[in-house]
Amino acid sequence: MTALDRRSFLTTGGALATGVAVETLATHAAWARTGREAATGAEGYGPLRRTRTRNTGEELLALPAGFSYVVLGRTGTPMSDGVPTPIAHDGMAAFPGTRPHTVRLIRNHEVRTGPGTPQGRVHVPGSARYDELGVGGTTTLEVDLRDGQVVSHFVSLNGTIVNCAGGRMLGDRGWLTCEETTDGPADGWRRKHGYIFEVPLRGPSPGRPAASMPLTAMGRFSHEAVAVDPRTGYVYETEDESGRPNGFYRFRPRDPRDLSRGGVLEMLKIRGADGYDCREGQRMGARLPVEWVRIDDPDPDLEGGAPTCARQGLAKGGAKFNRLEGCWWGDGSVFFNSTSGGDAKNGDGPGADGYVEGYGQVWRYLPGRRDGGTLVLVYESPGRKELDSPDNLTFTPRGGIVLCEDDASGADADPHPLAPGLTNVNRLIGLDPRRGRPFEFAVNIADDSEFAGACFSPDGSVLFVNQLGSTSSTEPPGRTYAIRGPWRKGPL
């Protein structure tokens, strides 16, 4: 977060609510040009070191001194329902468990194999599935916080595809899982895809996953993540489709506790600026007034040539973003990542519209009570050492933010001294709410797959996070980590 401090970053009563001071922006810019402390581990919880798991003895992560971890739900291990743990561990959330001292995790699987492919599939024969050939879905884990043992582990939704991220339902009643694709029958599937599905917290059990029913009014597009405003029930949605401008959406449900009853889908627009390009040329801390334009056809017949949700919104002046991914509700607002936004470029070639990818941005949307709200760019990466391709994000119980890197750049190699032999290394980056700077918290030293699904146990004692692994095979495997340590000695 560079030189933006805790007050200006996370409150509506500080600098962001009244306009960021010139001095703050000047300090921010100066640090962004010269600072390299984030890559050294000199801040946050101190230097990182290669660390072995407590339960398998493998060196998979580099962590600060005093932190330890165990591996849960590795791809291929049998679950309680007899199904092998699927591949491609992605977005996730943690809820109170059904037993004392337990936590319940609902985890996405971004499986990208072909229709009906058995390897790594999320599948329970005979269950109620949206698409009989679907390979994606979710699994649920019940974990004992005292020793990290998995009490129960099972498929909780199947019959979907490319389940990337999602978000918590209103009232923590469960998880909204999102398909990051708009494939359909023309691609070999039985049904159209590109939807959001509900996974109830209670109900699914080993051998009895929830019925997968698409919430079509919430839009058909390459969904990434969602965040729900607990005051209104509005659901904010991010879009991640490479090669073209993406939108940031808002769904206003008729009944916030029954999303199947439909509602209105809208795209964010900067007031008075049709087609405003948020991808580059932005000033950190500047306040952009927002209005919302309606998506008239949220479930377009893409196979028949109907315009996409993004095209509909952009035609009405909607704002352009690049690869919107992680999304989280915190401190009365929505924080979301633009994985490849920004002026500092990563070297990859331009998309279809000529935009050249950057190292990433973190945005904040503050809902308005009497208007459309306000959009603020709170951080933009000046280079790969500070932050490279932020994907999922989460708020910590103590007020910090954790960002999961998804560095798949083909042009800009990103080695790390703690991960010899790896070209594109992914990290967990913390944003310090006191000093306002990014810092390394963890490094994936096992392979080059991304981190995903970071979330804290309800009591704040354990950080759960996924290592994606492969999305099309069992190697490298997906893993879920449970990390514990002296959180209160640092900014997270």
Side-chain angles (χ1 to χ4, degrees):
M1 195 55 55
T2 70
L4 288 179
D5 62 15
R6 165 69 175 169
R7 183 180 301 274
S8 61
F9 172 46
L10 292 178
T11 70
T12 57
L16 287 182
T18 57
V20 177
V22 174
E23 293 82 3
T24 300
L25 289 173
T27 305
H28 187 155
W31 184 86
R33 287 192 301 269
T34 62
R36 287 296 182 267
E37 296 171 66
T40 67
E43 297 192 349
Y45 293 86
L48 310 188
R49 60 182 183 180
R50 294 173 67 95
T51 306
R52 294 185 182 276
T53 69
R54 293 198 344 253
N55 59 339
T56 68
E58 301 168 278
E59 281 190 344
L60 302 173
L61 298 179
L63 293 169
F67 285 86
S68 63
Y69 65 109
V70 296
V71 178
L72 314 171
R74 184 185 188 276
T75 289
T77 56
M79 298 188 292
S80 304
D81 54 8
V83 178
T85 301
I87 63 175
H89 299 26
D90 211 297
M92 184 169 66
F95 304 87
T98 59
R99 311 179 190 183
H101 311 294
T102 64
V103 62
R104 176 160 283 204
L105 303 172
I106 303 179
R107 180 181 63 199
N108 276 9
H109 292 271
E110 189 188 332
V111 183
R112 289 183 176 270
T113 57
T117 303
Q119 187 180 46
R121 183 182 184 185
V122 186
H123 181 67
V124 175
S127 60
R129 295 187 297 278
Y130 170 65
D131 190 330
E132 288 297 315
L133 299 180
V135 293
T138 66
T139 54
T140 293
L141 300 85
E142 189 99 4
V143 180
D144 192 318
L145 290 173
R146 295 169 296 183
D147 55 14
Q149 293 296 311
V150 176
V151 177
S152 182
H153 187 188
F154 54 90
V155 173
S156 46
L157 185 96
N158 65 161
T160 56
I161 64 174
V162 195
N163 294 73
C164 193
R168 308 170 78 95
M169 293 170 60
L170 180 66
D172 280 352
R173 294 177 294 114
W175 172 250
L176 295 171
T177 183
C178 299
E179 294 184 314
E180 190 190 7
T181 182
T182 54
D183 283 356
D187 306 287
W189 306 101
R190 294 271 180 88
R191 309 288 293 272
K192 299 188 303 180
H193 291 275
Y195 300 114
I196 295 175
F197 297 77
E198 290 185 345
V199 187
L201 181 61
R202 312 295 184 215
S205 59
R208 301 183 62 184
S212 47
M213 301 294 293
L215 299 169
T216 57
M218 298 184 73
R220 184 188 181 196
F221 55 87
S222 290
H223 286 278
E224 177 70 25
V226 303
V228 179
D229 183 339
R231 301 168 300 189
T232 62
Y234 292 177
V235 183
Y236 295 89
E237 311 175 24
T238 59
E239 179 180 28
D240 179 15
E241 184 167 329
S242 299
R244 65 166 179 80
N246 294 168
F248 181 66
Y249 299 86
R250 178 177 75 176
F251 179 66
R252 295 189 288 112
R254 291 192 181 94
D255 182 350
R257 291 189 172 272
D258 185 0
L259 299 179
S260 67
R261 292 188 59 193
V264 175
L265 183 68
E266 300 166 313
M267 179 188 281
L268 181 144
K269 177 183 183 295
I270 302 304
R271 191 187 312 149
D274 286 356
Y276 188 87
D277 197 337
C278 296
R279 299 174 295 181
E280 54 191 353
Q282 301 305 298
R283 182 168 62 91
M284 288 182 285
R287 295 172 58 81
L288 302 172
V290 167
E291 59 182 295
W292 296 86
V293 296
R294 182 165 182 158
I295 305 301
D296 296 316
D297 183 9
D299 186 15
D301 178 16
L302 302 179
E303 292 76 11
T308 64
C309 290
R311 282 177 56 193
Q312 294 177 57
L314 293 173
K316 294 184 176 183
K320 301 175 183 177
F321 296 91
N322 185 259
R323 290 190 61 197
L324 292 186
E325 300 207 25
C327 185
W328 199 270
W329 177 267
D331 287 315
S333 55
V334 180
F335 286 80
F336 60 97
N337 289 331
S338 171
T339 297
S340 302
D343 292 340
K345 305 302 181 181
N346 64 23
D348 284 351
D353 67 342
Y355 173 73
V356 179
E357 293 186 352
Y359 283 102
Q361 300 166 319
V362 181
W363 290 91
R364 181 188 190 190
Y365 168 70
L366 298 92
R369 295 185 178 180
R370 296 182 178 85
D371 57 19
T374 304
L375 182 69
V376 180
L377 176 63
V378 295
Y379 180 72
E380 181 171 297
S381 176
R384 63 178 174 82
K385 290 184 180 296
E386 285 70 29
L387 177 66
D388 191 349
S389 307
D391 193 315
N392 290 173
L393 82 161
T394 189
F395 267 59
T396 79
R398 289 155 290 274
I401 288 182
V402 176
L403 301 167
C404 298
E405 284 190 332
D406 174 15
D407 173 24
S409 173
D412 186 9
D414 190 11
H416 195 286
L418 291 172
L422 296 180
T423 301
N424 289 307
V425 174
N426 287 293
R427 306 169 296 175
L428 291 179
I429 299 294
L431 291 180
D432 187 336
R434 296 172 300 178
R435 304 188 65 184
R437 295 184 176 183
F439 64 91
E440 282 186 351
F441 174 73
V443 177
N444 176 7
I445 60 176
D447 57 53
D448 61 0
S449 67
E450 67 189 78
F451 279 110
C455 55
F456 276 84
S457 59
D459 68 357
S461 66
V462 178
L463 171 64
F464 295 97
V465 66
N466 293 324
Q467 182 180 302
L468 180 73
S470 173
T471 59
S472 59
S473 69
T474 56
E475 292 294 334
R479 298 181 178 93
T480 296
Y481 300 122
I483 304 172
R484 65 171 66 242
W487 298 110
R488 295 190 182 279
K489 291 185 179 180
L492 299 180

